[in-house]
Amino acid sequence: MSPWAASSPVIGVDVGTSVTKAVAFDRDGRALHSAARPSALLRQPGGVVEQDLEKVLESVAEVVREVAAALDGPPSALALTGQGDGLWLRDADGRPVRNAISWMDGRAAPLVTRWLADGTVRAVYEHTGSGMFPGCQAPLLAWLRAHEPESLERAAVAGYCVDAVAQRLTGTVSLDASDATLPFLDPRTRTYATKALDACGVADAAHLLPEPAAPGTVLSLDAHGAALLGLPAGLPVTSGPFDLPASALGSGVREIGDGLLIVGTTLACQVLTDRAEPGAGTEPAGMWLCTPDPERWLRAMPAMVGTAGIDWTLATVGATTADLEPLLAASPPGAHGVRALPFLSEAGERAPFVAPDARARFDGLHLGHRRADLVRAMCEAVGYAARHCLEAAGLSASLAACGGGTRSATWLRAFADILGRPVRVPEETEVGAKGAALVARASLGDPVDEERWHGAYRVVEPDPELRELYETGYAAYRAEVDRM
């Protein structure tokens, strides 16, 4: 029998923007052991947000070693997922030629503003169905070409977080089609659209883009990766999908029209569809994400700011996340008339519209308001943004929710009230790692009983007495966004 028998757990690893997590799942989808380590974001003036790949690998090694040590034997596979977008430039051996540029980076915002004005964003959208924002590959490649060409000259691979980690663990470049989506991939053919590269003026960088791996691709841990993780060489490894589609899979999004709301650092909204329609719609925003099933896609509308906006608001009023529940309890729905716009990212907004210069705002304040009203107003603004994104993505069936923001019972109820629909919340919090583990099982020819894997959840129902208040609030939010 193989030392990594199918009956052994799969370790799912989610390399997030701020935290790296690992969870061992048994064959019934139960989480056996987990570990987490924070990741550092390297911020500089001008909207620069970067990460050190070597530090990221250290965090992966630490969480995998901790989880593996709690198991009775080696896992059956290692399943990787993590943050998407950004630009993780490496040489042929997988060593970084510079710090990885995060999806949160805003240095290329002026370029995207210019591309919006001159039609470049629309032209790319017509070919690939992907909008663009400062932290995606096209403007970052163009920015480096103008300001730091030596980095491109030293690079062999222009990839993403998940494939960068996988390369260092397996010695193989294997890019999942979901990661490749934004902004050059035609999601219907899973090939790069030459006209999209031409439109952005980066056709000469096409050789840096790895071809997407076939669905079901399985890699293996090489000697270096085995030594780093303390696991046997040859252990099966799967690389992707990245965290948005992995979370949809892990949350039980299975039927056409089902949606997922991820209340994390970003606010990621996505809906499962059986049609990919590049160029459809009036706003060149969002993307069509490839899934492990070549006949299904996720229409994704990931707004830039989710919990990050609440963290900022709490810090600004001298509070912490531990204060969120009592502060929300101290301000009623409607926040005593305080209204907010949630566009706090230095890179502006990317979904359901692209506006690099979008900025946050509070309105309606007077001396009688308290800090609780500001916090409640920002939480409601993020809820309105979620509804805007889900409507644009075409939500028509059930809705699941996950992410750190769902740990706040009061904020979660506000989401249900603003959306006007029930929200299903999986009991397992690490749904990204769980989705990656599902993909690994299927890729190894050992698919699981998904009914069993997705059977544990709770449902939050909207309060019908708040429907009119939030319908009015949403209409005002949309009117203000449209005016801006």
Side-chain angles (χ1 to χ4, degrees):
M1 178 179 291
S2 167
W4 35 87
S7 58
S8 300
V10 169
I11 297 180
V13 181
D14 187 347
V15 189
T17 305
S18 55
V19 181
T20 297
K21 296 154 284 191
V23 186
F25 294 98
D26 68 13
R27 247 196 130 269
D28 291 327
R30 290 175 300 203
L32 303 176
H33 307 284
S34 64
R37 295 290 187 278
S39 295
L41 290 174
L42 309 174
R43 295 182 181 271
Q44 298 178 44
V48 171
V49 185
E50 299 182 342
Q51 286 192 280
D52 182 341
L53 174 57
E54 302 303 328
K55 295 295 184 183
V56 170
L57 283 165
E58 286 179 17
S59 71
V60 171
E62 288 177 7
V63 295
V64 170
R65 281 179 173 273
E66 182 175 332
V67 169
L71 302 177
D72 293 333
S76 58
L78 187 69
L80 301 176
T81 187
Q83 59 184 296
D85 298 313
L87 183 60
W88 296 61
L89 286 176
R90 295 107 63 187
D91 63 18
D93 296 321
R95 303 287 174 178
V97 301
R98 68 174 322 282
N99 280 337
I101 304 178
S102 169
W103 61 271
M104 300 175 71
D105 194 273
R107 76 188 74 188
L111 178 59
V112 176
T113 299
R114 186 166 74 247
W115 284 356
L116 281 165
D118 68 16
T120 299
V121 170
R122 169 60 68 179
V124 172
Y125 187 72
E126 293 294 331
H127 295 297
T128 68
S130 287
M132 284 194 284
F133 67 103
C136 74
Q137 278 208 354
L140 292 176
L141 286 170
W143 190 94
L144 288 176
R145 186 180 178 193
H147 300 279
E148 201 180 296
E150 65 277 7
S151 291
L152 295 179
E153 292 168 4
R154 293 198 305 269
V157 180
Y160 304 83
C161 175
V162 179
D163 62 284
V165 172
Q167 183 178 2
R168 292 289 292 277
L169 297 179
T170 68
T172 302
V173 177
S174 183
L175 178 66
D176 190 82
S178 63
D179 251 328
T181 298
L182 187 68
F184 300 125
L185 196 75
D186 184 331
R188 300 161 299 185
T189 63
R190 300 192 178 212
T191 58
Y192 293 113
T194 302
K195 291 182 178 180
L197 287 156
D198 290 338
C200 297
V202 294
D204 58 344
H207 67 284
L208 300 177
L209 308 179
E211 290 299 320
T217 295
V218 179
L219 312 175
S220 61
L221 208 60
D222 65 11
H224 172 79
L228 183 67
L229 303 183
L231 293 174
L235 183 79
V237 177
T238 54
S239 176
F242 82 98
D243 57 5
L244 263 63
S247 294
L249 293 168
S251 297
V253 173
R254 291 182 290 165
E255 303 299 329
I256 301 302
D258 283 353
L260 176 65
L261 167 63
I262 305 176
V263 191
T265 303
T266 187
L267 183 74
C269 303
Q270 45 192 335
V271 175
L272 189 64
T273 178
D274 56 2
R275 293 183 301 169
E277 301 173 307
T282 57
E283 283 284 349
M287 68 281 286
W288 302 88
L289 296 176
C290 295
T291 73
D293 182 344
E295 300 301 320
R296 290 190 169 190
W297 298 264
L298 285 159
R299 182 64 170 132
M301 290 286 173
M304 288 295 291
V305 172
T307 58
I310 308 307
D311 292 342
W312 180 91
T313 306
L314 288 167
T316 300
V317 301
T320 69
T321 53
D323 302 311
L324 179 58
E325 285 297 296
L327 285 170
L328 287 175
S331 181
H336 287 127
V338 180
R339 304 177 305 281
L341 294 178
F343 312 123
L344 280 159
S345 171
E346 291 174 284
E349 188 51 275
R350 62 176 174 175
F353 55 89
V354 177
D357 57 350
R359 292 296 179 259
R361 205 172 71 197
F362 286 98
D363 288 315
L365 286 167
H366 56 65
L367 289 173
H369 286 123
R370 297 291 180 262
R371 62 180 190 162
D373 299 317
L374 274 73
V375 173
R376 163 72 76 164
M378 185 56 74
C379 284
E380 291 181 349
V382 173
Y384 292 139
R387 179 168 170 178
H388 194 183
C389 286
L390 287 166
E391 287 178 353
L395 177 66
S396 61
S398 69
L399 177 67
C402 65
T406 62
R407 290 196 290 268
S408 168
T410 307
W411 194 16
L412 187 56
R413 285 196 300 273
F415 274 111
D417 293 335
I418 290 168
L419 295 168
R421 62 170 61 240
V423 178
R424 185 181 76 252
V425 183
E427 293 296 334
E428 172 54 55
T429 58
E430 301 304 338
V431 294
K434 191 170 189 176
L438 272 170
V439 171
R441 289 283 188 193
S443 299
L444 292 169
D446 182 36
V448 299
D449 182 345
E450 293 198 25
E451 292 293 337
R452 185 175 298 172
W453 272 57
H454 301 309
Y457 58 85
R458 69 188 190 280
V459 176
V460 179
E461 298 283 350
D463 184 345
E465 294 186 2
L466 294 175
R467 181 171 180 82
E468 183 177 352
L469 181 147
Y470 280 126
E471 286 297 322
T472 300
Y474 180 59
Y477 170 86
R478 287 293 305 272
E480 188 59 23
V481 168
D482 291 345
R483 190 191 69 79
M484 289 179 65

